[in-house]
Amino acid sequence: MKCPKCEAPFEQVEFEGIEVDRCTGCHGLWFDVGKEEMLRRLDGAEAIDDGDPWTGRLHDSLTRIHCPRDGTAMVVLGDIDQPHIRFEVCPQCMGAYFDAGEFRDFKAEGVNLAKLLENIWR
């Protein structure tokens, strides 16, 4: 798979037995469905988000991207109360892409992804 933002290849990284894909270029993270929620509950899981947040903010402006798994156009999600947290979700496979630094914010700020998705696909 290739990164939907910079097209560099992904590498698999693991935290406590949960594997995710991290871009070797911009260090964005791809989570198969539900893995971001599983990792959010684990102390220290933010360590997988080792990218530069400044680079992440630059890539955040690229919003017309396609799912690295199935090629579907991805949807930008964000928390109204915390607009600095924005990430992309595939409406087909429900995988999620976080730019560098976004997973750390997501984990620290307590965004409820299931609630965001429920409100969008109602």
Side-chain angles (χ1 to χ4, degrees), residues 101-117:
E102 288 178 335
F103 179 69
R104 282 188 297 247
D105 282 350
F106 174 79
K107 188 173 181 326
E109 301 291 337
V111 175
N112 185 335
L113 181 57
K115 185 177 178 182
L116 286 174
L117 293 173

Side-chain angles (χ1 to χ4, degrees), residues 2-77:
K2 290 188 177 182
C3 177
K5 298 280 180 112
C6 76
E7 299 188 10
F10 280 115
E11 64 181 349
Q12 288 200 331
V13 294
E14 181 181 320
F15 186 84
E16 292 194 18
I18 301 169
E19 289 184 355
V20 299
D21 296 289
R22 183 171 55 210
C23 176
T24 58
C26 68
H27 288 244
L29 297 168
W30 172 260
F31 297 89
D32 288 325
V33 64
K35 288 188 176 180
E36 71 284 342
E37 286 293 330
M38 293 166 53
L39 284 169
R40 189 174 82 173
R41 295 182 189 119
L42 298 176
D43 288 338
E46 62 278 359
I48 64 166
D49 189 358
D50 69 351
D52 176 24
W54 184 81
T55 301
R57 284 190 292 281
L58 289 177
H59 283 103
D60 201 35
S61 63
L62 302 171
T63 58
R64 293 184 179 200
I65 65 170
H66 292 84
C67 176
R69 286 261 183 246
D70 59 38
T72 302
M74 296 183 72
V75 177
V76 177
L77 292 182

